[in-house]
Amino acid sequence: MENSFFSLIYKNKKQQELISFSSVNNAVKQLDASWLLCSHKNNWLNYITDDIETIQYREEAFADIMKCPELSELCNQCIEKLSAIDSLKRLKEGQKTNETMLYSIKEVELYIDFIDLLYISLSKIHDSIQSEAFKNLYDRVLKEINSREYIALKEGVSVLSHKISGIKSLTVGINLDANLTPYESGIVSVNEDYFHSGDLISRFMRLEKKDEMTTLAPLYITQKLFTSRESDALNISVNDALKKIVSSGLRGWDSMLKKYFNMNTAPWLNLYPEFLYLSIGSEIIRKLKQYNLPLCTPIAKSKEEKCFLAKGLYNPALAEKIKSKDSSANIIDNDFSFDKDGMIYILTGPNRGGKSVVLCAVGIAQIMFQLGLPVAAKSAEISPVDCIYTHFATFSDSTIGKGRLGEECDRLKDMFASLNKYSLVLMDETLSSTDSYEASVIGYELLAAMSSFGCRGIFATHIHELAFKKDDLNSLPSCNSRIDTLVAGINNGKRTYKIIRTAPDGKSYARDIAQRYGLSFESLVNNKNN
């Protein structure tokens, strides 16, 4: 590969060097996306980006993978080849021995297998490839296999491998002292055949055939035949001789290895984490497609447009769990958008009505988009955010000495200190640690601050009073993001799991809650009469 920059997941070197994205580890855990994104030792969070060109570059690559499953298998095969090369590199570090020199030959053979694998696989599907990443990969493979240096390398390793693998035995000369004890030994010849067990009589009977590969005595395991001293002397002699033989073969092309292999193969070997990245993405796509769940490649919008428009949005983590148990189960989806009349939503509704599911679906879609993956929706247009901040009703050991509300407020202060107009904030049952009045007062201040910052967000809550203060919040002079209300639908006391853009009816939800626990007026009276 030529020394110019090439990457399967970054369009140019500047993008690779300047990519930065605030940590979203906590968000991934709270959004129930850990299974989706962190199932491998290669941490995907390191690859989340807000660079629009990088996102589009990756989207095209994953679109090819969705269209050509062979690319997914190719990525897995490349991972195996490059991993084997890396293992050999580590094994041969340090002192040179016969074994490490043979590792060098095997390393080159694996590299050639890797290049040939890419060429053969990509040639078969080249006409179907549309992404710039895989087109560039194929072009570079073509340049590699047609280069004079690569052709010479391939021929050289073939000759050397044949020469080394052709060694089947050695003829050893041993000098004895007056007590017939070996004191000197050396290699007489290198043979391409194995020796065969024999004896003096059989050797005499074969004199006319000149069979030099049959011994005068039966063959024995050297460790059993020789003393420790004799065995060590023989091993030293044999190893020294083999080292000279192998070294002489390597010496002829040593300059080629240093000039070509060590320099020209580095860019290829550096693609290992990128093949791994594409492989993990392919597995996520495969998981969802096996249940016939819709996936789409979002239209990438600029960060300044602050766009999120999704049709048929669903939570892939939940959908995968449901479909794995019952493949015929119906998955409820929703349309969702941030727009000029609603950049921040107050989401209310009954318990277990789908509020958290939709909130997580939005967050996961944003993460998948900024990884370059297709998202769990029928169609989507999305702008990148600079970070995803989450605040769920969970409490840690740090509540000791502060109380639950104190701990919750500390987390909120830390989070709000980092917000800006390009942030996405997802809060689920925030302020549930205090009474309704306090929660309403603090919630109002949080929403006013978010609106002032100009960020996007969803506040899923049971504090219905906040929803009725929407107009007051939008009339504040500091308002930069307008606030609207969403409601988790309910029909005749049954949850529809559809999210509706409307004002809440607090009474109906309160009655639903009372009915669910058997504490409505009718149920209490009827129970007493019975």
Side-chain angles (χ1 to χ4, degrees):
M1 179 185 288
E2 59 189 33
N3 291 326
S4 60
F5 175 82
F6 173 70
S7 169
L8 288 167
I9 60 176
Y10 298 103
K11 190 170 183 178
N12 57 58
K13 192 169 185 177
K14 181 179 178 182
Q15 290 176 351
Q16 184 185 46
E17 292 173 346
L18 297 181
I19 292 305
S20 63
F21 192 86
S22 303
S23 174
V24 291
N25 284 282
N26 188 58
V28 167
K29 292 177 183 176
Q30 293 193 328
L31 293 170
D32 192 25
S34 298
W35 71 275
L36 191 65
L37 305 176
C38 303
S39 58
H40 199 280
K41 63 182 180 181
N42 184 44
N43 189 356
W44 268 45
L45 300 184
N46 295 334
Y47 294 96
I48 295 178
T49 176
D50 57 1
D51 182 88
I52 197 74
E53 290 186 350
T54 298
I55 292 171
Q56 291 172 324
Y57 189 71
R58 295 175 185 177
E59 283 183 336
E60 292 175 0
F62 279 118
D64 269 349
I65 288 173
M66 290 175 68
K67 183 174 57 178
C68 303
E70 300 92 333
L71 285 173
S72 177
E73 179 59 27
L74 175 60
C75 288
N76 292 331
Q77 291 175 325
C78 288
I79 290 167
E80 292 178 5
K81 297 287 185 185
L82 294 177
S83 180
I85 292 173
D86 182 64
S87 297
L88 283 177
K89 279 184 174 293
R90 291 196 300 269
L91 283 172
K92 71 189 183 89
E93 288 177 355
Q95 185 178 0
K96 286 191 175 182
T97 64
N98 293 333
E99 194 173 18
T100 57
M101 285 188 284
L102 292 175
Y103 285 159
S104 294
I105 299 171
K106 187 62 179 176
E107 183 182 348
V108 179
E109 288 178 329
L110 285 171
Y111 169 69
I112 290 171
D113 288 345
F114 166 71
I115 296 297
D116 288 350
L117 168 68
L118 283 173
Y119 173 66
I120 293 170
S121 301
L122 292 174
S123 294
K124 292 177 180 178
I125 58 175
H126 176 251
D127 291 340
S128 300
I129 292 174
Q130 299 296 320
S131 68
E132 186 177 351
F134 284 114
K135 281 184 177 180
N136 287 345
L137 178 64
Y138 181 66
D139 289 343
R140 286 173 179 260
V141 169
L142 283 179
K143 289 181 181 179
E144 183 80 350
I145 65 168
N146 291 321
S147 69
R148 288 179 298 175
E149 294 87 352
Y150 179 79
I151 293 171
L153 182 75
K154 194 171 183 178
E155 292 175 350
V157 76
S158 176
V159 171
L160 187 60
S161 296
H162 178 75
K163 180 177 179 180
I164 299 299
S165 62
I167 299 176
K168 297 295 190 299
S169 64
L170 301 173
T171 302
V172 181
I174 302 176
N175 288 328
L176 309 177
D177 61 16
N179 297 318
L180 300 183
T181 300
Y183 71 92
E184 288 181 334
S185 64
I187 302 297
V188 176
S189 63
V190 177
N191 311 311
E192 295 184 356
D193 295 309
Y194 292 111
F195 283 102
H196 310 288
S197 289
D199 54 43
L200 189 59
I201 294 177
S202 62
R203 176 64 186 269
F204 177 77
M205 296 297 293
R206 292 186 177 90
L207 280 176
E208 71 279 4
K209 296 182 180 180
K210 297 183 179 181
D211 186 356
E212 299 296 334
M213 301 309 293
T214 300
T215 61
L216 292 176
L219 292 170
Y220 294 96
I221 304 298
T222 56
Q223 286 86 346
K224 297 180 179 180
L225 181 64
F226 294 158
T227 66
S228 176
R229 178 189 167 199
E230 292 167 342
S231 181
D232 288 344
L234 180 60
N235 286 336
I236 290 172
S237 178
V238 170
N239 284 333
D240 285 346
L242 281 175
K243 187 181 293 185
K244 292 176 182 177
I245 293 168
V246 175
S247 297
S248 65
L250 285 172
R251 195 177 300 120
W253 69 325
D254 186 57
S255 60
M256 179 192 297
L257 285 178
K258 290 180 179 178
K259 181 180 179 182
Y260 175 84
F261 187 70
N262 293 333
M263 179 179 66
N264 288 44
T265 61
W268 291 108
L269 301 180
N270 289 339
L271 291 179
Y272 173 82
E274 300 191 1
F275 279 117
L276 187 58
Y277 178 90
L278 294 173
S279 174
I280 298 172
S282 301
E283 177 61 19
I284 292 171
I285 293 169
R286 187 198 64 78
K287 266 187 180 182
L288 298 176
K289 287 183 72 69
Q290 72 176 337
Y291 298 117
N292 294 317
L293 292 166
L295 289 171
C296 73
T297 299
I299 298 173
K301 296 291 187 175
S302 69
K303 183 185 289 188
E304 291 71 24
E305 290 179 82
K306 300 169 69 171
C307 175
F308 190 105
L309 173 62
K311 300 290 186 181
L313 178 72
Y314 63 95
N315 184 327
L318 178 62
E320 195 272 341
K321 289 177 184 177
I322 293 173
K323 285 288 192 178
S324 64
K325 294 178 181 178
D326 181 4
S327 60
S328 64
N330 185 35
I331 302 299
I332 304 297
D333 59 36
N334 281 280
D335 296 343
F336 184 91
S337 67
F338 289 117
D339 55 41
K340 63 181 180 62
D341 293 319
M343 279 292 174
I344 299 170
Y345 287 107
I346 303 169
L347 172 57
T348 58
N351 281 332
R352 304 180 66 83
K355 299 191 301 295
S356 297
V357 172
V358 168
L359 182 143
C360 289
V362 172
I364 292 174
Q366 190 71 48
I367 292 173
M368 294 178 74
F369 165 68
Q370 293 189 223
L371 285 166
L373 281 169
V375 302
K378 294 175 182 176
S379 65
E381 299 178 22
I382 308 178
S383 296
V385 299
D386 74 331
C387 194
I388 301 171
Y389 296 94
T390 57
H391 187 281
F392 283 44
T394 56
F395 303 96
S396 65
D397 294 338
S398 62
T399 58
I400 299 174
K402 297 180 181 178
R404 294 178 63 187
L405 179 60
E407 188 270 345
E408 192 171 12
C409 289
D410 280 349
R411 287 194 291 134
L412 286 166
K413 282 189 288 185
D414 290 341
M415 183 177 79
F416 271 66
S418 302
L419 298 185
N420 63 58
K421 64 181 179 179
Y422 297 122
S423 302
L424 174 63
V425 182
L426 303 172
M427 297 189 291
D428 191 22
E429 299 303 339
T430 296
L431 303 173
S432 59
S433 59
T434 188
D435 62 70
S436 177
Y437 176 74
E438 279 190 326
S440 177
V441 171
I442 299 173
Y444 184 94
E445 300 299 320
L446 296 177
L447 290 165
M450 288 172 61
S451 174
S452 174
F453 296 149
C455 59
R456 283 153 280 178
I458 304 173
F459 190 164
T461 181
H462 282 102
I463 312 169
H464 297 111
E465 294 90 336
L466 288 175
F468 299 124
K469 295 178 180 179
K470 175 190 74 170
D471 293 337
D472 291 342
L473 287 162
N474 287 331
S475 65
L476 293 173
S478 60
C479 176
N480 287 311
S481 286
R482 291 187 63 80
I483 298 171
D484 205 351
T485 56
L486 298 172
V487 174
I490 188 167
N491 186 13
N492 295 324
K494 293 185 178 180
R495 292 156 180 77
T496 64
Y497 304 106
K498 300 295 283 187
I499 303 302
I500 306 165
R501 192 167 180 173
T502 187
D505 179 357
K507 292 182 180 179
S508 64
Y509 299 132
R511 184 173 180 78
D512 171 72
I513 294 170
Q515 287 177 335
R516 185 160 59 91
Y517 288 102
L519 297 175
S520 67
F521 172 79
E522 293 85 354
S523 60
L524 290 170
V525 170
N526 291 335
N527 185 54
K528 181 174 178 62
N529 292 334
N530 293 332

mmCIF file of all heavy atoms in Angstrom, residues 311-328:
data_model
loop_
_atom_site.group_PDB
_atom_site.id
_atom_site.type_symbol
_atom_site.label_atom_id
_atom_site.label_comp_id
_atom_site.label_asym_id
_atom_site.label_seq_id
_atom_site.Cartn_x
_atom_site.Cartn_y
_atom_site.Cartn_z
ATOM 1 N N LYS A 311 -39.395 8.545 11.110
ATOM 2 C CA LYS A 311 -40.686 7.892 10.880
ATOM 3 C C LYS A 311 -40.533 6.413 11.257
ATOM 4 O O LYS A 311 -39.574 5.749 10.859
ATOM 5 C CB LYS A 311 -41.088 7.999 9.403
ATOM 6 C CG LYS A 311 -41.232 9.428 8.893
ATOM 7 C CD LYS A 311 -42.445 10.123 9.482
ATOM 8 C CE LYS A 311 -42.654 11.496 8.837
ATOM 9 N NZ LYS A 311 -43.810 12.198 9.424
ATOM 10 N N GLY A 312 -41.482 5.906 12.005
ATOM 11 C CA GLY A 312 -41.427 4.492 12.384
ATOM 12 C C GLY A 312 -40.267 4.174 13.302
ATOM 13 O O GLY A 312 -39.661 3.102 13.204
ATOM 14 N N LEU A 313 -39.968 5.068 14.229
ATOM 15 C CA LEU A 313 -38.853 4.875 15.158
ATOM 16 C C LEU A 313 -39.228 3.840 16.221
ATOM 17 O O LEU A 313 -40.346 3.836 16.740
ATOM 18 C CB LEU A 313 -38.525 6.208 15.832
ATOM 19 C CG LEU A 313 -37.413 6.215 16.888
ATOM 20 C CD1 LEU A 313 -36.062 6.040 16.234
ATOM 21 C CD2 LEU A 313 -37.468 7.519 17.690
ATOM 22 N N TYR A 314 -38.278 2.949 16.538
ATOM 23 C CA TYR A 314 -38.509 1.968 17.597
ATOM 24 C C TYR A 314 -37.218 1.761 18.384
ATOM 25 O O TYR A 314 -36.130 2.179 17.956
ATOM 26 C CB TYR A 314 -39.022 0.644 17.028
ATOM 27 C CG TYR A 314 -38.044 -0.059 16.105
ATOM 28 C CD1 TYR A 314 -37.176 -1.049 16.582
ATOM 29 C CD2 TYR A 314 -37.982 0.257 14.746
ATOM 30 C CE1 TYR A 314 -36.284 -1.686 15.741
ATOM 31 C CE2 TYR A 314 -37.095 -0.377 13.900
ATOM 32 C CZ TYR A 314 -36.245 -1.351 14.396
ATOM 33 O OH TYR A 314 -35.347 -1.975 13.557
ATOM 34 N N ASN A 315 -37.341 1.146 19.543
ATOM 35 C CA ASN A 315 -36.197 0.879 20.404
ATOM 36 C C ASN A 315 -35.603 -0.475 20.022
ATOM 37 O O ASN A 315 -36.219 -1.512 20.292
ATOM 38 C CB ASN A 315 -36.645 0.876 21.872
ATOM 39 C CG ASN A 315 -35.483 0.700 22.839
ATOM 40 O OD1 ASN A 315 -34.517 0.023 22.546
ATOM 41 N ND2 ASN A 315 -35.590 1.300 24.010
ATOM 42 N N PRO A 316 -34.429 -0.530 19.386
ATOM 43 C CA PRO A 316 -33.892 -1.810 18.902
ATOM 44 C C PRO A 316 -33.532 -2.775 20.018
ATOM 45 O O PRO A 316 -33.600 -3.989 19.840
ATOM 46 C CB PRO A 316 -32.663 -1.387 18.101
ATOM 47 C CG PRO A 316 -32.259 -0.075 18.673
ATOM 48 C CD PRO A 316 -33.525 0.598 19.079
ATOM 49 N N ALA A 317 -33.128 -2.240 21.182
ATOM 50 C CA ALA A 317 -32.780 -3.117 22.298
ATOM 51 C C ALA A 317 -34.010 -3.890 22.760
ATOM 52 O O ALA A 317 -33.966 -5.113 22.961
ATOM 53 C CB ALA A 317 -32.202 -2.291 23.448
ATOM 54 N N LEU A 318 -35.123 -3.179 22.924
ATOM 55 C CA LEU A 318 -36.365 -3.827 23.349
ATOM 56 C C LEU A 318 -36.914 -4.734 22.250
ATOM 57 O O LEU A 318 -37.377 -5.850 22.518
ATOM 58 C CB LEU A 318 -37.397 -2.763 23.725
ATOM 59 C CG LEU A 318 -38.771 -3.277 24.157
ATOM 60 C CD1 LEU A 318 -38.659 -4.117 25.413
ATOM 61 C CD2 LEU A 318 -39.735 -2.104 24.369
ATOM 62 N N ALA A 319 -36.862 -4.264 21.001
ATOM 63 C CA ALA A 319 -37.401 -5.045 19.884
ATOM 64 C C ALA A 319 -36.668 -6.375 19.745
ATOM 65 O O ALA A 319 -37.298 -7.416 19.504
ATOM 66 C CB ALA A 319 -37.280 -4.234 18.592
ATOM 67 N N GLU A 320 -35.357 -6.349 19.920
ATOM 68 C CA GLU A 320 -34.579 -7.587 19.803
ATOM 69 C C GLU A 320 -34.959 -8.577 20.900
ATOM 70 O O GLU A 320 -35.088 -9.780 20.653
ATOM 71 C CB GLU A 320 -33.090 -7.253 19.870
ATOM 72 C CG GLU A 320 -32.165 -8.377 19.397
ATOM 73 C CD GLU A 320 -31.797 -9.342 20.510
ATOM 74 O OE1 GLU A 320 -31.938 -8.967 21.690
ATOM 75 O OE2 GLU A 320 -31.380 -10.469 20.193
ATOM 76 N N LYS A 321 -35.173 -8.064 22.110
ATOM 77 C CA LYS A 321 -35.576 -8.935 23.225
ATOM 78 C C LYS A 321 -36.940 -9.558 22.961
ATOM 79 O O LYS A 321 -37.161 -10.747 23.202
ATOM 80 C CB LYS A 321 -35.612 -8.126 24.519
ATOM 81 C CG LYS A 321 -34.242 -7.716 25.044
ATOM 82 C CD LYS A 321 -34.375 -6.852 26.285
ATOM 83 C CE LYS A 321 -33.010 -6.354 26.763
ATOM 84 N NZ LYS A 321 -33.140 -5.446 27.931
ATOM 85 N N ILE A 322 -37.880 -8.746 22.476
ATOM 86 C CA ILE A 322 -39.240 -9.232 22.217
ATOM 87 C C ILE A 322 -39.240 -10.257 21.085
ATOM 88 O O ILE A 322 -39.824 -11.342 21.192
ATOM 89 C CB ILE A 322 -40.177 -8.059 21.886
ATOM 90 C CG1 ILE A 322 -40.363 -7.168 23.112
ATOM 91 C CG2 ILE A 322 -41.529 -8.568 21.385
ATOM 92 C CD1 ILE A 322 -41.134 -5.890 22.844
ATOM 93 N N LYS A 323 -38.556 -9.924 19.982
ATOM 94 C CA LYS A 323 -38.549 -10.795 18.808
ATOM 95 C C LYS A 323 -37.799 -12.100 19.063
ATOM 96 O O LYS A 323 -38.120 -13.134 18.466
ATOM 97 C CB LYS A 323 -37.920 -10.060 17.626
ATOM 98 C CG LYS A 323 -38.807 -9.002 16.996
ATOM 99 C CD LYS A 323 -39.948 -9.624 16.212
ATOM 100 C CE LYS A 323 -40.686 -8.630 15.349
ATOM 101 N NZ LYS A 323 -41.769 -9.244 14.561
ATOM 102 N N SER A 324 -36.805 -12.070 19.930
ATOM 103 C CA SER A 324 -36.057 -13.297 20.221
ATOM 104 C C SER A 324 -36.923 -14.312 20.965
ATOM 105 O O SER A 324 -36.674 -15.514 20.915
ATOM 106 C CB SER A 324 -34.805 -12.979 21.045
ATOM 107 O OG SER A 324 -35.155 -12.448 22.312
ATOM 108 N N LYS A 325 -37.970 -13.821 21.659
ATOM 109 C CA LYS A 325 -38.889 -14.702 22.379
ATOM 110 C C LYS A 325 -40.092 -15.082 21.523
ATOM 111 O O LYS A 325 -40.607 -16.187 21.617
ATOM 112 C CB LYS A 325 -39.362 -14.018 23.660
ATOM 113 C CG LYS A 325 -38.247 -13.790 24.677
ATOM 114 C CD LYS A 325 -38.771 -13.056 25.912
ATOM 115 C CE LYS A 325 -37.655 -12.804 26.912
ATOM 116 N NZ LYS A 325 -38.141 -12.041 28.094
ATOM 117 N N ASP A 326 -40.538 -14.146 20.696
ATOM 118 C CA ASP A 326 -41.697 -14.396 19.836
ATOM 119 C C ASP A 326 -41.495 -13.624 18.535
ATOM 120 O O ASP A 326 -41.728 -12.413 18.467
ATOM 121 C CB ASP A 326 -42.980 -13.942 20.528
ATOM 122 C CG ASP A 326 -44.228 -14.190 19.683
ATOM 123 O OD1 ASP A 326 -44.102 -14.793 18.593
ATOM 124 O OD2 ASP A 326 -45.322 -13.778 20.106
ATOM 125 N N SER A 327 -41.074 -14.329 17.514
ATOM 126 C CA SER A 327 -40.730 -13.668 16.247
ATOM 127 C C SER A 327 -41.939 -13.031 15.570
ATOM 128 O O SER A 327 -41.786 -12.167 14.707
ATOM 129 C CB SER A 327 -40.073 -14.668 15.291
ATOM 130 O OG SER A 327 -40.956 -15.744 15.020
ATOM 131 N N SER A 328 -43.141 -13.445 15.966
ATOM 132 C CA SER A 328 -44.344 -12.880 15.351
ATOM 133 C C SER A 328 -44.900 -11.692 16.126
ATOM 134 O O SER A 328 -45.908 -11.106 15.725
ATOM 135 C CB SER A 328 -45.427 -13.960 15.244
ATOM 136 O OG SER A 328 -45.822 -14.402 16.533
#
